[in-house]
Amino acid sequence: MQSSNEMCTTGAMRAIDSLLETLAKLIDDNEKKLDHIRYLTLKIKQTLTTQEKARKKLLDEPDYIPILLITLQTVPDVQVLLNITSSIDELLVGGKRSISTLLARQATITQVLIDALVRASKFHSQDELIVILVTLLCKLGAKDKKINVKARLSGLLDILANLLKQNTTNYKVLQPILHLIKLLAVKSLNLIGLGKAGTITALLRIISGCGNRHILTLRSCLTILSRLVQNKNNAIMTVNQNGIATMMDLAISWHKADIRNKQVLLRKSVFATLKSLTFTKIGKRKFAESNGFRVVYQLCMDSCELKVLDNLVTIGTQILRRCYPEVSLPITNLNNPVQFNPGLYDENTRVDESRNAYGYLDHNDEQDNDNEDSASDSDGDYEDIDDTGTSCQPSDNEDVDGLQSSEQVVPKITRSEEDLRESYQSFLPELEMINGNDDQLHNRLDIITDLNDSLEKIATSYEKSSSKDKNVYAGNVSGSLISQESGNSTINDFVKQQNLKLGHKIDIDSFVSRGDTTNIVNESLTTKSVMPFTEIPMPELFGHSSPELAEPLLERKSVVLRKKILLDIERVIFPEKIMSDVVYDLDLSIRSGFNATAKESLKILESRQTETEIPQLNFNSRFECGNLRKVIRVRRQEYDLLLNPDINTKQHHQWFYFEVRNMLKGIRYQFNIINCIKNNSQFNYGMQPVFYSTYDAINKGIGWIRAGSNICYYKNYFPRTAAAGGGGIKSYYTMSFVIEFPHDDDTCFLAYHYPYTFSTMKVHLECIGKVAASNSIYFRSQELCSTLKGNICKLLTVTNYPSNGRRNDERYVPIEKRPYIVLSARVHPGESNSSWVMKGLLDFITSDDDYATLLRDSYIFKIIPMLNPDGVINGCHRCSLSGHDLNRCWISPDSQVHPTIYHMKGLIQYMVTIGKSPLVFCDFHGHSRRKNVFTYACHPYTNSNQRAEDQMLRALPKAIQEVSPIFSYQSCSFAVEKSKESTARVVLWKELYILRSYTMESTYCGMDQGIYKGYQVNTTALEDMGKNFCKGLLKMKDLPIRKIHSKNRLSIQASSDREAISKDDNNVVEINPRDSAVTFELHIPNETQILSVGSDIGDSSSSTESDELAYDC
């Protein structure tokens, strides 16, 4: 027997069948009995409310739901509509499954409900019906993909807007209506329709009436409004209806009421709406008129220290930055104030007719040169991180002895063989040794070298004697003012100069000089610049010694950026607190004829006597490699700095190098470089500028170190026009940092990266020449060509003398069989890290190290250590004096406009024509947006021999990876892009078929892999990279090399979790980075135990900034 419950259930199911069948007959009857229909629909509602199985049966039966929908469509009675909609609502008690089932059975149900809501809106005082219809549409509409189209075509948007207007204080009805509008306010057409229907007016009225109550309603209104104002017309409409003032009043009200920060999401919605409103010009204007700067600034200042309000402060600072009034850079002309006229009048040369007699810009001319060469990107990062070419994943094979493809094809030689021979035969003097007697050649070359040295000394002496009567401005020869007066400068002259700057005497005996100071003075005086220099910087005189401990990457703090932006906003809110005193102006110095040094020194002494608070800092950049155009003191301890663009351009503001004096110890000075152009920088990811204290150099032997805190890089409010190379970037960027000087009245220097000047290179080449001579190394330094300004571009040749006695040594390569390695650096002047790598390489290959000896026995090196001396000397970042990026001129360089590129390419072409094609070409560069050191190369030439060529191509980067702890093979790229076709790497690969044609990029910042992960790069690491590049060449030659322990200056104060790095692989030796670094020992082939080098790849995870980037070359 059935239980009583089962009997009741069965009876209910039978009843629902009967009720629906009867209802269907009544609807079909032309003479509908309204009372009977009301009764039937009520009974259906009651049955569904109490019986779950009845609800399930109704959902499962395909013929029953249409009966309810037809009733809803055809019976215009409020009670019937209530009963039917309540019944449908009961069917949805099961949640998402019930909704999905109902939509699957009846796809038109949402349209029926929309039509019912349209009809119900015409009834008066039927809130209950409207609420239930809107609720049903919210539930079903969330699963209906076509709900937005249905609502728009049915006129529902207008109905909802009217319902809002009619129920601005009826919160019981408002909440479901707002929920439905929020569901529909996602498509652009719906946003427009809601705006036109008057939704915004109703929302603002509701928001004003909510106050600090009705939180759910207020939050829904703000969410909808923030979506609506994403449409420009809606935003303008909201602004015109006093929407900005409403939002600011609401923000202030909730800031005071929400003491415990429980309504952060609501407050965030207010700011998000305000942010969207300020996208329009009228919105920005109304924001300023409504005292928006003060309001939002104060709210952000009050919330800045609370982590829970981070998102709120972030949006607030974005609003302030967007609304900041556009202000032009505080300079009269975007061009570099120093312009150079090369005297060439061809299509590749720009000549500025507005220069005065000295060749400098006339600042009365307000016209900007709109004919800038914009062929290259302004920021100079030209290699993409995510290349679409050949995969750069490591290969297990290292077959590097295959034939080069150049033996199978005809290179493209653009000059005649006779021209090449006449121009460059003298640059391969080592070929004379091939068939000659070793001893006779050795003596003959020594005599030639001595004769050249004597001639150089005579020429130098002549230049010194003639410089007494030479007009330094007419010749544009650099040197200090003291040197111009005395003619023969000594170290004592510069000590006097330093005493004048500091205001007290320095004992010359306390100088700690790193090298021959007399030589650096002499070389500096013979260096030719466009602008006369006023001094030789102290780092040149007292040298540099890398710190013993590696310096960690600076931790990034988001609160720093917000505070700096808020400080910028104070300039609008409290203009009376801004000083705006120009303390350094290169433009003014140029117009005054460079004779202001003595007057400046007197002003310094006077300022010390008159200022009772913090004295004004004094700046200078009129020295070799210096770059600083203007300094404005905006607060007692804060200065805005502007950099020079490259000469003959309006772009490339990145490299800086300047002197600071008259400081006080313990004061936190803030420097803001306000005309940077890259849209991101490693300064946001742990990099610090470099700092040099003359006092510490003299007394402690400390050279350049990383310094600065509170560093951030962000978009500022100075617009960058198309004439300044703005392109898609519409604003300049600010690089801001705080510096605390260690001593009073010191002479300090700050730079983007460790400077390496042309004069320093000349002294270094002289030193290694002496070392090479003492080690009986074949070392020749020749003048490849002169630059536009008349400086010398040096070509070095390094190898070992031939030795008949060693021909039986299996490791010795006869000179006639030695392949050539061609290397170059510093084609981009601001990439000083490439010069430090080159310095380390030169020091190594001219040393008596066993590896270096083997290297010279194996190869002949042709090296151009500085391809762009003029740019280096004059503080440029990327271009030469012609205003061209020399690494984009390799296809057809001009002999007069691009002499160094023209002659280097010609030399390599000559080597190819005589069968001495380089085995390896590598151009050393610096990369401003990536960490580690890595290479860019091209891809194999042919498909038929692709595997062998690919292995040869990858051999050198893989070999360097094995011997260098800061090299990242994962970051290497082997692809050729069309935009790189005019670079050295691609042109030599494409035209001369040099397969192993590389660009090696060194970071400005630091490392994110291996034992040095988390540390900034320094000069020791860069010099070691040059040495390890050489060891990679040996490894590529398949000579066994192994890792050993050795003390090194680049030791690390590692955290406890990084004190020891070991691997399970038996081929890798355990390394403790605290007291040792990786060095290498020559391996004797006859040893019984051979240790191969393991690859210490380290952590290959990319840094968080890598998605922004990246191109450098």
Side-chain angles (χ1 to χ4, degrees), residues 423-436:
S423 300
Y424 305 110
Q425 186 176 22
S426 61
F427 294 112
L428 280 80
E430 66 278 1
L431 297 181
E432 299 176 8
M433 297 188 291
I434 293 178
N435 298 316

Side-chain angles (χ1 to χ4, degrees), residues 593-604:
F594 302 97
N595 292 319
T597 301
K599 295 180 180 179
E600 287 181 1
S601 300
L602 292 175
K603 288 181 180 179
I604 295 171

Side-chain angles (χ1 to χ4, degrees), residues 291 293-294 297 324-325 327 566-581 632-636 717:
N291 202 24
F293 281 106
R294 285 181 179 269
Y297 165 82
Y324 199 103
V327 183
L566 293 175
L567 280 176
D568 285 348
I569 299 304
E570 286 184 1
R571 304 187 188 194
V572 177
I573 302 173
F574 310 112
E576 67 280 359
K577 296 183 179 180
I578 304 303
M579 301 174 67
S580 299
D581 296 337
I632 301 171
R633 190 183 191 186
V634 293
R635 296 181 180 89
R636 292 292 179 186
Y717 43 84

